[in-house]
Amino acid sequence: MAVVYNGTVHKIPVRLGPEGVAEFKARVKALFGFSEDVDFDVTFECKSPTSEEKLLLKGLDCYEAATHCAAVSAAKRALGVSSFPTWKL
């Protein structure tokens, strides 16, 4: 996942679950020199996995959704495709 702070982009690994959120918070704090007791706010910007529409997900409560979007985007890049097929049921 790319993290942008003061115009600088940093790529950091992410993983799902409560441990992933804790790691993400710790990495961001270390990366930008925040003290351990500082809380920070975050807005995740990603593309919808199905429509390519830009999504703004506000707050760490959206971490799981943002991580999912990042994983789908990475898979698309790895496969060299712009979208996955969809099926109507």
Side-chain angles (χ1 to χ4, degrees), residues 9-84:
V9 179
H10 301 272
K11 291 198 175 192
I12 60 172
V14 293
R15 63 185 181 127
L16 295 171
E19 297 87 9
V21 175
E23 278 183 22
F24 176 78
K25 289 169 67 174
R27 284 181 187 270
V28 168
K29 286 179 180 183
L31 191 60
F32 301 118
F34 299 159
S35 65
E36 289 296 316
D37 62 338
V38 169
D39 286 328
F40 60 90
D41 193 25
V42 63
T43 299
F44 298 100
E45 181 179 314
C46 59
K47 289 183 182 177
S48 167
T50 57
S51 70
E52 299 294 312
E53 176 185 1
K54 183 171 95 171
L55 303 173
L56 293 178
L57 309 172
K58 296 182 185 258
L60 283 169
D61 290 341
C62 295
Y63 174 84
E64 294 288 328
T67 302
H68 175 77
C69 289
V72 171
S73 292
K76 286 180 181 179
R77 282 191 307 277
L79 294 171
V81 297
S82 61
S83 64
F84 289 129

